[in-house]
Structures are given as structure tokens and as C-alpha cells.
Amino acid sequence: MLKTEKVLLKIENTIATVTMNRPEKLNALDIELWMGLEEAATAIKHEPNVRVVILTGAGRAFCAGLDINALASPEEMFTSLAFRDAFEGVQYFRSVFSMYESLAVPVIAAINGPCIGGGMEIALACDIRLASNNTIFSIPEVTYGIISDCGGTQRLPRVVGPGRARELIFTGRKIDATEAHRIGLVDHIYQPDQLMSEARKLAEEIAALSPAAVQAAKRALNVAMSCSLEIGLNYESAISSKFYK
């Protein structure tokens, strides 16, 4: 049981489902929801039976981004959370999303509706992205005179390529699920009433395989996203050799 009801964690057999639960606010991120995501990731990290995670949103949205109305000014917010400065505060919020990327097990984003700003950034930290066909994506921070600071400028180019990432980030433009699939932002599109069942089906397929092999593959894939080819190849060789002893 988590301390907040703004994030729900359900573990069934080997599959954990994390649900952002502010449906009346389209699951917009406030501090309590952010901390709930942190708590859920920590709980999963210490639950060895979990083999796959599904991350989704309650109601008709995945996550509409930062809830500006629910937060104090940046200075007041960082001070209230005992951060020394804005850099340290931004690092904390980004680190919560990174926890899902660094979980030992695969994380599937089931994106059910608007996926905006911080919502898109946490989806980018997931391993596989499935979307309902009514989803809208945007990373609009520049339209507010700021930049995305929870991984958007770093992860989006790795997912869709630098050119498309620049266009989306520089314009803040909204795209639909079909365009997101075309550019590789999402891997599959489903009808809204099929999304969670398809996410569960994929999770069960992965969970049925060797957890040691799947988790080793995730570590190697994460290295591939952040290191040179030569380093990645050497890491792959090193980690795969352990399976032949």
C-alpha cells in the first residue's frame, strides 16, 4: 500500500501495474503524485517476484503534464522540499522518471489519452510504449518559455531520431497516435477498450520467459542507448558470457 492514493500499485503474480490516479485532473503531476511514482518504483525494486511493469493513467488520460495550478512558484516549491537550489530540485523530479528506466524489469507504458510534457517524458523512460488511438502527444515546454527538464531533450532524440525530436521540441506541436506510431514514438496502437488487455498480454508474454535473460537484455539495451557501439558490444559480450558457464 502506497502512502498516497494519487498513485496506485497493484501486483498480480509477476506483473505490477502502476496507475497515476488523478483522473479529475487528467493525471497532471503535482508533488504528491510525483512522490507516489517514486514510492511505487522503490516498492517494485524491492519485490523480486515482479518481472514486468505496466504504467498507465486512470480515467481518460495518461498524464497531462505538470499541474501548474497545484504547485507553488518554482522557488517556493524547491525551498519547501529542502533542495539547495533549482538544479537540485530539477534533478530530483527527473530522477523519479529515471527510476522506471533503471528498474531491472521491462516497463510497458499503456498510454490512454493525452500524454503531454512530463507525461511524455515519463513515457519515454519506459521500455515499450503502447497507445490508444485517441492519444495526443506533445512536449510543449518552449511554448511556456522554458525547456523540458525531465529527460525530454535527451530521450526523445534516442527514440525518434534527432531531426524529429528537434521539430517536436522546438515547436511544441501536438501529434496524434498515428503520427506517433509512424515516427517510432509508440510501438503499437489499439482501440481504447483494448489497450490494457493488450498491455497485459504483452506483459504476460515477457513474464513467461527467463527473468535472468530478460533483465540482462534490458541492461544491455540501456547501455546501447547511452554508450558508443564499441562499449555496448563489449558489455553485451561480457554479460552474455555469464550464461555459458
Side-chain angles (χ1 to χ4, degrees):
M1 184 68 68
L2 303 183
K3 295 177 183 177
T4 177
E5 294 184 354
K6 292 184 179 180
V7 175
L8 307 177
L9 173 61
K10 183 178 182 180
I11 298 176
E12 295 180 294
N13 299 319
T14 58
I15 298 171
T17 302
V18 177
T19 305
M20 293 176 279
N21 189 40
R22 293 185 75 205
E24 73 285 358
K25 297 293 184 180
L26 301 181
N27 304 313
L29 294 156
D30 64 2
I31 292 172
E32 188 178 341
L33 194 154
W34 232 306
M35 290 182 168
L37 288 170
E38 178 185 23
E39 188 183 1
T42 300
I44 293 166
K45 182 178 179 180
H46 293 99
E47 180 46 71
N49 291 328
V50 171
R51 297 188 180 184
V52 185
V53 176
I54 299 171
L55 175 65
T56 193
R60 58 190 180 91
F62 180 73
C63 175
L66 185 67
D67 187 347
I68 298 173
N69 295 326
L71 299 174
S73 69
E75 294 79 8
E76 292 175 357
M77 178 177 64
F78 295 141
T79 300
S80 69
L81 294 172
F83 296 121
R84 283 184 288 265
D85 54 30
F87 180 79
E88 189 176 87
V90 168
Q91 277 197 317
Y92 163 73
F93 290 116
R94 185 258 301 153
S95 73
V96 172
F97 293 177
S98 295
M99 290 176 75
Y100 288 84
E101 184 175 59
S102 62
L103 282 173
V105 300
V107 180
I108 300 168
I111 306 169
N112 52 312
C115 182
I116 309 297
M120 188 160 158
E121 288 177 299
I122 192 170
L124 288 166
C126 297
D127 298 291
I128 301 170
R129 285 166 293 280
L130 314 181
S132 58
N133 60 11
N134 62 344
T135 298
I136 296 296
F137 296 87
S138 178
I139 193 156
E141 283 82 354
V142 295
T143 67
Y144 298 101
I146 58 175
I147 71 165
S148 55
D149 52 16
C150 287
T153 65
Q154 303 305 301
R155 292 192 176 100
L156 187 60
R158 289 170 166 83
V159 172
V160 303
R164 290 191 176 101
R166 288 187 178 101
E167 183 176 355
L168 290 173
I169 290 169
F170 293 164
T171 65
R173 182 184 301 153
K174 293 179 180 179
I175 60 172
D176 61 18
T178 300
E179 177 66 6
H181 183 256
R182 187 185 72 82
I183 66 175
L185 179 56
V186 298
D187 303 296
H188 300 282
I189 304 173
Y190 299 105
Q191 295 291 331
D193 61 352
Q194 296 176 324
L195 178 66
M196 285 305 295
S197 63
E198 291 294 335
R200 182 80 187 188
K201 187 186 302 182
L202 177 58
E204 290 172 349
E205 181 180 356
I206 295 170
L209 302 174
S210 162
V214 170
Q215 291 167 34
K218 175 168 177 174
R219 291 194 296 273
L221 285 162
N222 281 349
V223 169
M225 297 298 288
S226 59
C227 295
S228 69
L229 177 60
E230 186 63 25
I231 291 173
L233 289 171
N234 286 334
Y235 183 86
E236 181 185 75
S237 297
I239 200 169
S240 66
S241 65
K242 297 177 181 180
F243 288 91
Y244 299 108
K245 294 182 179 179

PDB file of all heavy atoms in Angstrom, residues 192-210:
ATOM      1  N   PRO A 192      -9.222   2.138 -27.489  1.00  0.00           N
ATOM      2  CA  PRO A 192      -9.122   2.416 -26.054  1.00  0.00           C
ATOM      3  C   PRO A 192      -9.523   1.243 -25.169  1.00  0.00           C
ATOM      4  O   PRO A 192      -8.884   0.984 -24.141  1.00  0.00           O
ATOM      5  CB  PRO A 192     -10.070   3.610 -25.864  1.00  0.00           C
ATOM      6  CG  PRO A 192     -10.035   4.305 -27.179  1.00  0.00           C
ATOM      7  CD  PRO A 192      -9.931   3.219 -28.204  1.00  0.00           C
ATOM      8  N   ASP A 193     -10.586   0.517 -25.562  1.00  0.00           N
ATOM      9  CA  ASP A 193     -11.037  -0.581 -24.711  1.00  0.00           C
ATOM     10  C   ASP A 193     -10.182  -1.832 -24.836  1.00  0.00           C
ATOM     11  O   ASP A 193     -10.375  -2.805 -24.101  1.00  0.00           O
ATOM     12  CB  ASP A 193     -12.508  -0.914 -25.008  1.00  0.00           C
ATOM     13  CG  ASP A 193     -12.741  -1.352 -26.459  1.00  0.00           C
ATOM     14  OD1 ASP A 193     -11.798  -1.266 -27.281  1.00  0.00           O
ATOM     15  OD2 ASP A 193     -13.870  -1.769 -26.776  1.00  0.00           O
ATOM     16  N   GLN A 194      -9.214  -1.816 -25.742  1.00  0.00           N
ATOM     17  CA  GLN A 194      -8.311  -2.950 -25.906  1.00  0.00           C
ATOM     18  C   GLN A 194      -6.930  -2.703 -25.303  1.00  0.00           C
ATOM     19  O   GLN A 194      -6.147  -3.644 -25.138  1.00  0.00           O
ATOM     20  CB  GLN A 194      -8.143  -3.273 -27.394  1.00  0.00           C
ATOM     21  CG  GLN A 194      -9.410  -3.721 -28.097  1.00  0.00           C
ATOM     22  CD  GLN A 194      -9.162  -3.927 -29.594  1.00  0.00           C
ATOM     23  OE1 GLN A 194      -8.386  -3.198 -30.215  1.00  0.00           O
ATOM     24  NE2 GLN A 194      -9.825  -4.913 -30.161  1.00  0.00           N
ATOM     25  N   LEU A 195      -6.629  -1.449 -24.991  1.00  0.00           N
ATOM     26  CA  LEU A 195      -5.259  -1.082 -24.623  1.00  0.00           C
ATOM     27  C   LEU A 195      -4.730  -1.875 -23.439  1.00  0.00           C
ATOM     28  O   LEU A 195      -3.646  -2.473 -23.514  1.00  0.00           O
ATOM     29  CB  LEU A 195      -5.186   0.413 -24.327  1.00  0.00           C
ATOM     30  CG  LEU A 195      -3.809   0.923 -23.879  1.00  0.00           C
ATOM     31  CD1 LEU A 195      -2.781   0.791 -25.002  1.00  0.00           C
ATOM     32  CD2 LEU A 195      -3.918   2.387 -23.425  1.00  0.00           C
ATOM     33  N   MET A 196      -5.447  -1.900 -22.337  1.00  0.00           N
ATOM     34  CA  MET A 196      -4.930  -2.560 -21.144  1.00  0.00           C
ATOM     35  C   MET A 196      -4.854  -4.070 -21.315  1.00  0.00           C
ATOM     36  O   MET A 196      -3.908  -4.713 -20.829  1.00  0.00           O
ATOM     37  CB  MET A 196      -5.767  -2.195 -19.931  1.00  0.00           C
ATOM     38  CG  MET A 196      -5.510  -0.788 -19.421  1.00  0.00           C
ATOM     39  SD  MET A 196      -3.749  -0.435 -19.045  1.00  0.00           S
ATOM     40  CE  MET A 196      -3.456  -1.567 -17.686  1.00  0.00           C
ATOM     41  N   SER A 197      -5.807  -4.646 -22.026  1.00  0.00           N
ATOM     42  CA  SER A 197      -5.735  -6.096 -22.240  1.00  0.00           C
ATOM     43  C   SER A 197      -4.546  -6.451 -23.118  1.00  0.00           C
ATOM     44  O   SER A 197      -3.869  -7.471 -22.894  1.00  0.00           O
ATOM     45  CB  SER A 197      -7.038  -6.622 -22.853  1.00  0.00           C
ATOM     46  OG  SER A 197      -7.265  -6.058 -24.128  1.00  0.00           O
ATOM     47  N   GLU A 198      -4.251  -5.606 -24.104  1.00  0.00           N
ATOM     48  CA  GLU A 198      -3.090  -5.859 -24.958  1.00  0.00           C
ATOM     49  C   GLU A 198      -1.790  -5.628 -24.180  1.00  0.00           C
ATOM     50  O   GLU A 198      -0.810  -6.372 -24.367  1.00  0.00           O
ATOM     51  CB  GLU A 198      -3.129  -4.963 -26.188  1.00  0.00           C
ATOM     52  CG  GLU A 198      -4.241  -5.294 -27.161  1.00  0.00           C
ATOM     53  CD  GLU A 198      -4.074  -6.666 -27.808  1.00  0.00           C
ATOM     54  OE1 GLU A 198      -2.925  -7.154 -27.899  1.00  0.00           O
ATOM     55  OE2 GLU A 198      -5.089  -7.250 -28.223  1.00  0.00           O
ATOM     56  N   ALA A 199      -1.770  -4.621 -23.315  1.00  0.00           N
ATOM     57  CA  ALA A 199      -0.586  -4.398 -22.475  1.00  0.00           C
ATOM     58  C   ALA A 199      -0.370  -5.587 -21.556  1.00  0.00           C
ATOM     59  O   ALA A 199       0.770  -6.042 -21.357  1.00  0.00           O
ATOM     60  CB  ALA A 199      -0.751  -3.116 -21.671  1.00  0.00           C
ATOM     61  N   ARG A 200      -1.447  -6.084 -20.990  1.00  0.00           N
ATOM     62  CA  ARG A 200      -1.349  -7.246 -20.099  1.00  0.00           C
ATOM     63  C   ARG A 200      -0.877  -8.474 -20.872  1.00  0.00           C
ATOM     64  O   ARG A 200      -0.054  -9.250 -20.373  1.00  0.00           O
ATOM     65  CB  ARG A 200      -2.718  -7.501 -19.476  1.00  0.00           C
ATOM     66  CG  ARG A 200      -2.738  -8.648 -18.483  1.00  0.00           C
ATOM     67  CD  ARG A 200      -2.220  -8.235 -17.142  1.00  0.00           C
ATOM     68  NE  ARG A 200      -2.088  -9.385 -16.247  1.00  0.00           N
ATOM     69  CZ  ARG A 200      -1.802  -9.278 -14.959  1.00  0.00           C
ATOM     70  NH1 ARG A 200      -1.633  -8.084 -14.423  1.00  0.00           N
ATOM     71  NH2 ARG A 200      -1.686 -10.346 -14.209  1.00  0.00           N
ATOM     72  N   LYS A 201      -1.387  -8.650 -22.074  1.00  0.00           N
ATOM     73  CA  LYS A 201      -0.988  -9.795 -22.896  1.00  0.00           C
ATOM     74  C   LYS A 201       0.513  -9.747 -23.185  1.00  0.00           C
ATOM     75  O   LYS A 201       1.219 -10.759 -23.085  1.00  0.00           O
ATOM     76  CB  LYS A 201      -1.793  -9.798 -24.205  1.00  0.00           C
ATOM     77  CG  LYS A 201      -1.596 -11.030 -25.069  1.00  0.00           C
ATOM     78  CD  LYS A 201      -2.310 -10.876 -26.407  1.00  0.00           C
ATOM     79  CE  LYS A 201      -3.797 -10.618 -26.235  1.00  0.00           C
ATOM     80  NZ  LYS A 201      -4.500 -10.522 -27.555  1.00  0.00           N
ATOM     81  N   LEU A 202       1.014  -8.569 -23.540  1.00  0.00           N
ATOM     82  CA  LEU A 202       2.439  -8.420 -23.802  1.00  0.00           C
ATOM     83  C   LEU A 202       3.247  -8.650 -22.532  1.00  0.00           C
ATOM     84  O   LEU A 202       4.296  -9.321 -22.564  1.00  0.00           O
ATOM     85  CB  LEU A 202       2.715  -7.024 -24.363  1.00  0.00           C
ATOM     86  CG  LEU A 202       4.184  -6.667 -24.637  1.00  0.00           C
ATOM     87  CD1 LEU A 202       4.821  -7.649 -25.629  1.00  0.00           C
ATOM     88  CD2 LEU A 202       4.283  -5.239 -25.157  1.00  0.00           C
ATOM     89  N   ALA A 203       2.768  -8.127 -21.417  1.00  0.00           N
ATOM     90  CA  ALA A 203       3.466  -8.323 -20.148  1.00  0.00           C
ATOM     91  C   ALA A 203       3.546  -9.801 -19.792  1.00  0.00           C
ATOM     92  O   ALA A 203       4.594 -10.293 -19.335  1.00  0.00           O
ATOM     93  CB  ALA A 203       2.757  -7.546 -19.040  1.00  0.00           C
ATOM     94  N   GLU A 204       2.464 -10.526 -20.005  1.00  0.00           N
ATOM     95  CA  GLU A 204       2.454 -11.958 -19.696  1.00  0.00           C
ATOM     96  C   GLU A 204       3.403 -12.729 -20.608  1.00  0.00           C
ATOM     97  O   GLU A 204       4.068 -13.680 -20.174  1.00  0.00           O
ATOM     98  CB  GLU A 204       1.034 -12.503 -19.817  1.00  0.00           C
ATOM     99  CG  GLU A 204       0.107 -12.012 -18.712  1.00  0.00           C
ATOM    100  CD  GLU A 204      -1.341 -12.387 -18.934  1.00  0.00           C
ATOM    101  OE1 GLU A 204      -1.670 -12.848 -20.063  1.00  0.00           O
ATOM    102  OE2 GLU A 204      -2.156 -12.211 -17.999  1.00  0.00           O
ATOM    103  N   GLU A 205       3.485 -12.313 -21.871  1.00  0.00           N
ATOM    104  CA  GLU A 205       4.412 -12.960 -22.805  1.00  0.00           C
ATOM    105  C   GLU A 205       5.852 -12.797 -22.339  1.00  0.00           C
ATOM    106  O   GLU A 205       6.649 -13.740 -22.358  1.00  0.00           O
ATOM    107  CB  GLU A 205       4.232 -12.372 -24.201  1.00  0.00           C
ATOM    108  CG  GLU A 205       5.129 -12.993 -25.261  1.00  0.00           C
ATOM    109  CD  GLU A 205       4.917 -12.376 -26.633  1.00  0.00           C
ATOM    110  OE1 GLU A 205       4.020 -11.525 -26.793  1.00  0.00           O
ATOM    111  OE2 GLU A 205       5.678 -12.753 -27.560  1.00  0.00           O
ATOM    112  N   ILE A 206       6.195 -11.581 -21.903  1.00  0.00           N
ATOM    113  CA  ILE A 206       7.557 -11.330 -21.419  1.00  0.00           C
ATOM    114  C   ILE A 206       7.798 -12.039 -20.100  1.00  0.00           C
ATOM    115  O   ILE A 206       8.864 -12.646 -19.880  1.00  0.00           O
ATOM    116  CB  ILE A 206       7.786  -9.815 -21.266  1.00  0.00           C
ATOM    117  CG1 ILE A 206       7.713  -9.126 -22.630  1.00  0.00           C
ATOM    118  CG2 ILE A 206       9.133  -9.534 -20.600  1.00  0.00           C
ATOM    119  CD1 ILE A 206       7.690  -7.604 -22.559  1.00  0.00           C
ATOM    120  N   ALA A 207       6.810 -12.004 -19.202  1.00  0.00           N
ATOM    121  CA  ALA A 207       6.968 -12.595 -17.872  1.00  0.00           C
ATOM    122  C   ALA A 207       7.149 -14.103 -17.921  1.00  0.00           C
ATOM    123  O   ALA A 207       7.721 -14.694 -16.999  1.00  0.00           O
ATOM    124  CB  ALA A 207       5.768 -12.236 -16.995  1.00  0.00           C
ATOM    125  N   ALA A 208       6.678 -14.731 -18.999  1.00  0.00           N
ATOM    126  CA  ALA A 208       6.794 -16.186 -19.122  1.00  0.00           C
ATOM    127  C   ALA A 208       8.208 -16.634 -19.488  1.00  0.00           C
ATOM    128  O   ALA A 208       8.525 -17.824 -19.401  1.00  0.00           O
ATOM    129  CB  ALA A 208       5.799 -16.695 -20.165  1.00  0.00           C
ATOM    130  N   LEU A 209       9.052 -15.695 -19.887  1.00  0.00           N
ATOM    131  CA  LEU A 209      10.411 -16.024 -20.306  1.00  0.00           C
ATOM    132  C   LEU A 209      11.373 -15.961 -19.125  1.00  0.00           C
ATOM    133  O   LEU A 209      11.016 -15.543 -18.027  1.00  0.00           O
ATOM    134  CB  LEU A 209      10.838 -15.068 -21.416  1.00  0.00           C
ATOM    135  CG  LEU A 209       9.938 -15.058 -22.651  1.00  0.00           C
ATOM    136  CD1 LEU A 209      10.378 -13.975 -23.620  1.00  0.00           C
ATOM    137  CD2 LEU A 209       9.925 -16.422 -23.331  1.00  0.00           C
ATOM    138  N   SER A 210      12.605 -16.374 -19.370  1.00  0.00           N
ATOM    139  CA  SER A 210      13.620 -16.379 -18.319  1.00  0.00           C
ATOM    140  C   SER A 210      13.824 -14.975 -17.772  1.00  0.00           C
ATOM    141  O   SER A 210      14.248 -14.073 -18.503  1.00  0.00           O
ATOM    142  CB  SER A 210      14.943 -16.897 -18.871  1.00  0.00           C
ATOM    143  OG  SER A 210      16.022 -16.531 -18.026  1.00  0.00           O
TER     144      SER A 210
END
